[in-house]
Amino acid sequence: GDLDGDGADEGVVFLWKSSGGSGTYIYLAVAGSRDGKQLNLATAPVGDRVQLRSGHINNGQIELDVVQQGPGDAACCPSQLARRYWRLDTAGLTESQADINGTLSIGELAGSEWVLVNLDLNKPLPASPRVTLDFTSGRISGSSGCNRYFASVSDGDMPGDLTLSRLGSTRMTCPPADMEMENSYLDALESVTTFGFFYGRLAFSWQLDGNVQTMLFSSGPE
């Protein structure tokens, strides 16, 4: 989008840096064309372990919906929901006053159909079978690729913790590849302990046989 009012679009890029410890530092960078060359016009910090829920360019400014550290939060576990704003000017990227919009909870996930896109970070899924997840009034449900499944869900003790009941499901039989996908997903889902956001996607972390993985869901068309 056009961030400096010259009629030409700039692009916004997310950068991250990790020194090998638990911290992950997120940055915004703006790239644009000047005199026929693509340049990095400005860079600004977003913060350590800030989770990005969504981002837009609106009316010439960058808007990010994030989960960030609130008062009393441990560094590991941000809980504050905020919308933050930056404008590009001669000094670079200038951030204005953020809007604080509450605290992270599973209730924030209601109202969208989430579609599984990765069973773990290094394993993108094919378009079919389609695996979905819906949240409604303390319950989850969806399609696991062949059958429908359901369970109760509640927030845990720390921000981003969740507790699932034992899953129930229908009992249809589908092609072997679909059943294999379904079984892998349901096994992982029953092992989920935390949730958050990873660059606009819902992230469920799960542990099975000593391995910690993260599955990713999109809330819109891929």
Side-chain angles (χ1 to χ4, degrees), residues 134-213:
D134 293 282
F135 290 81
T136 308
S137 301
R139 291 183 64 81
I140 62 168
S141 61
S143 170
S144 48
C146 174
N147 287 281
R148 299 288 301 176
Y149 68 92
F150 45 88
S152 61
V153 60
S154 59
D155 288 300
D157 295 332
M158 296 289 291
D161 287 353
L162 61 78
T163 301
L164 285 172
S165 71
R166 187 170 182 83
L167 295 173
S169 70
T170 57
R171 296 297 181 185
M172 294 188 296
T173 300
C174 294
D178 291 359
M179 295 301 295
E180 181 179 0
M181 175 65 238
E182 176 171 272
N183 290 335
S184 295
Y185 171 66
L186 294 179
D187 286 345
L189 187 61
E190 282 199 320
S191 304
V192 167
T193 57
T194 61
F195 74 99
F197 294 90
F198 184 81
Y199 294 94
R201 290 176 173 172
L202 173 63
F204 271 12
S205 293
W206 53 279
Q207 183 171 336
L208 195 61
D209 299 328
N211 296 315
V212 178
Q213 301 287 352

Side-chain angles (χ1 to χ4, degrees), residues 1-4 9-10 12 55-65 83-88 96 99:
D2 183 9
L3 291 171
D4 59 5
D9 284 348
E10 285 74 43
V12 178
H56 310 275
I57 295 175
N58 186 29
N59 294 325
Q61 70 178 356
I62 301 166
E63 300 181 359
L64 296 185
D65 289 316
R83 176 167 288 183
R84 295 170 60 181
Y85 308 91
W86 287 260
R87 284 195 178 273
L88 181 66
S96 57
D99 295 326

Side-chain angles (χ1 to χ4, degrees), residues 53 105-114 134-139:
R53 300 177 66 194
S105 72
I106 56 173
E108 293 295 322
L109 306 180
S112 294
E113 180 184 62
W114 300 91
D134 293 282
F135 290 81
T136 308
S137 301
R139 291 183 64 81

